Amino acid sequence: DAGVTQSPTHLIKTRGQHVTLRCSPISGHKSVSWYQQVLGQGPQFIFQYYEKEERGRGNFPDRFSARQFPNYSSELNVNALLLGDSALYLCASSLGTSGGAGELFFGEGSRLTVL
Amino acid sequence: GIQVEQSPPDLILQEGANSTLRCNFSDSVNNLQWFHQNPWGQLINLFYIPSGTKQNGRLSATTVATERYSLLYISSSQTTDSGVYFCAVDDYKLSFGAGTTVTVRA
C-alpha cells in the first residue's frame, strides 16, 4: 500500500514568489495535516483538514493557506515567500475519526529553499 | 500550548549499548507518538502510545500519562538507529519536542 506522497521533493524559489506543495494521503485516510520543520527544530503545526473542512490552524501568517480536495488530497500554498520560509514541509495523514489528531503518518516532505 | 521537553538533546552510543530517551509534557494529552527521523527527513512511526508499555523488536516505550512523561528504550543499539528521535503529544494537533539526536558508533 502506498504511504503519504508529497510533491515536489525539492524546490528553490526566490523571495516574493509563491509556492504550492501537494500531498496525497494514505488510502482510506480522510484527514491531512501540514507541518513546517526548520533546521534543528521539531516540526510545527500549520493546518489540519478533515473532510475538506479546516479543523485546526497553527500560528502562521495569512500568507499560508491550504485546502483539501474531494479525493482527500491537499495543497499547501505560501505567498510572498520570505527567506525564513525555507524549511522542510511535512504532510501527514490520519483516519481523522478520533477526537484528537489521531495517529499520524508522514510523507517524505518537500524541502523548500528561498533565495 | 503544551510544552514538550526531550532529554538528553544528544546521545552518543557504542554499538550494542542500551539507552533511554525521555519525554516530559506539561498537560494532559489525548495521545503520544514517538518518531525516528531518518537522514532524508522522513518521520518514521515508532509508537502510538497514550499509556502503558509497548514493544517492537529492540525498541520499547512506556507512557505514564498521570505523571506526564514517556520513555523510549533502545536496546542493543545498531548504527542504523542513528538519527533524531521525536516525541509528539496530541492536543488536537501534534506538538513536538526538540528531539534527541542519537549517534551510534561501530
Side-chain angles (χ1 to χ4, degrees):
Chain A
D1 287 342
V4 178
T5 57
Q6 292 187 241
S7 64
T9 55
H10 295 82
L11 67 167
I12 299 173
K13 294 285 187 178
T14 57
R15 282 177 295 176
Q17 286 188 312
H18 74 273
V19 66
T20 298
L21 307 177
R22 296 177 176 83
C23 173
S24 293
I26 293 170
S27 178
H29 284 193
K30 297 183 177 181
S31 179
V32 169
S33 301
W34 289 94
Y35 289 78
Q36 180 197 64
Q37 186 179 21
V38 300
L39 198 62
Q41 297 181 19
Q44 298 290 318
F45 172 72
I46 311 176
F47 288 109
Q48 184 190 10
Y49 277 78
Y50 174 69
E51 291 278 17
K52 297 176 290 180
E53 298 290 327
E54 182 182 299
R55 190 183 251 186
R57 171 187 287 253
N59 188 22
F60 280 81
D62 291 343
R63 300 184 295 108
F64 288 76
S65 63
R67 55 180 176 169
Q68 187 177 31
F69 298 100
N71 67 353
Y72 303 110
S73 67
S74 177
E75 284 182 354
L76 175 69
N77 293 283
V78 187
N79 293 326
L81 286 167
L82 303 174
L83 296 179
D85 295 330
S86 296
L88 179 66
Y89 288 85
L90 295 162
C91 174
S93 78
S94 64
L95 289 171
T97 53
S98 71
E103 184 175 11
L104 265 60
F105 297 86
F106 284 84
E108 295 185 356
S110 294
R111 194 169 297 276
L112 171 65
T113 301
V114 182
L115 301 178
Chain B
I2 289 182
Q3 304 302 310
V4 182
E5 294 183 356
Q6 291 187 242
S7 60
D10 298 281
L11 190 59
I12 299 175
L13 302 170
Q14 203 63 33
E15 200 169 29
N18 302 328
S19 63
T20 301
L21 283 59
R22 187 176 180 102
C23 172
N24 293 331
F25 44 97
S26 61
D27 206 343
S28 302
V29 296
N30 296 309
N31 221 313
L32 185 143
Q33 287 189 251
W34 283 98
F35 297 92
H36 177 210
Q37 189 163 41
N38 66 24
W40 298 271
Q42 185 167 12
L43 289 167
I44 308 299
N45 290 46
L46 297 178
F47 294 101
Y48 180 64
I49 182 168
S51 63
T53 297
K54 291 186 177 181
Q55 182 152 9
N56 185 3
R58 296 180 296 101
L59 301 181
S60 64
T62 295
T63 296
V64 184
T66 53
E67 297 187 22
R68 300 177 186 169
Y69 74 89
S70 183
L71 303 173
L72 179 69
Y73 305 96
I74 305 174
S75 65
S76 304
S77 58
Q78 300 177 359
T79 55
T80 52
D81 294 330
S82 296
V84 184
Y85 290 80
F86 286 104
C87 159
V89 298
D90 179 354
D91 62 342
Y92 301 97
K93 64 183 186 301
L94 284 190
S95 294
F96 284 77
T100 293
T101 301
V102 173
T103 303
V104 181
R105 294 178 173 167

